[in-house]
Amino acid sequence: MKNLITSGKLLKMFLAEDANTIIRRPNCRKFCLDNDIFMEIHEKAWLIDIENFMRKVNPKSMSEHYEVPRLRNLRYCVNSWNKRYKRWQIDKHDIEYLIKNKKIFCFKHGNRWVLNYDEVLNELKIYVKTYKGHPNAKKKSKK
């Protein structure tokens, strides 16, 4: 007996795992047609064999959930930080300091730095508390 679910329910399963997924209902249907997955067109829905679908999508039967790092460029990191933390504004030089000191994962792609955004956020929180105008920041003494 085939375990059939609607393409809408299949989409909701993917959206529950990743809100920004590129999977859409027409993509699922096209994938089924291209990979000989049983599907039936009902009055109001497309019914898809979920077990066969998952076997084709995940041929190595990976059961562990992996977080894909959010890779962003330097400008995006600066703009998103400044939108999120309006009191502690940064510029590109602050992130370049983290790159220079090898505190974050990064690589150069052409003329752009590609950065692990999650690491950037964590390191910037420490950096801002230490060096910027954060209430707990170290005060520079004048000599």
Side-chain angles (χ1 to χ4, degrees), residues 1-77:
M1 175 102 186
K2 292 181 172 50
N3 186 8
L4 302 175
I5 65 167
T6 64
S7 59
K9 188 168 183 175
L10 183 64
L11 174 64
K12 287 177 186 174
M13 287 172 44
F14 279 99
L15 285 173
E17 289 296 318
D18 180 12
N20 296 322
T21 185
I22 61 169
I23 303 291
R24 298 290 177 255
R25 288 168 58 182
N27 299 14
C28 296
R29 298 172 190 154
K30 177 79 170 121
F31 184 79
C32 290
L33 289 171
D34 292 346
N35 292 290
D36 296 325
I37 299 170
F38 178 81
M39 107 182 136
E40 181 179 317
I41 303 171
H42 198 266
E43 291 176 8
K44 295 183 179 182
W46 290 54
L47 301 174
I48 299 171
D49 180 12
I50 185 66
E51 292 165 1
N52 199 8
F53 183 87
M54 288 304 187
R55 229 179 279 123
K56 297 281 183 167
V57 169
N58 187 9
K60 295 184 179 179
S61 300
M62 291 183 189
S63 60
E64 297 161 18
H65 181 73
Y66 292 99
E67 284 291 322
V68 178
R70 297 186 292 172
L71 299 176
R72 304 292 189 264
N73 66 24
L74 194 141
R75 184 182 301 162
Y76 178 88
C77 293

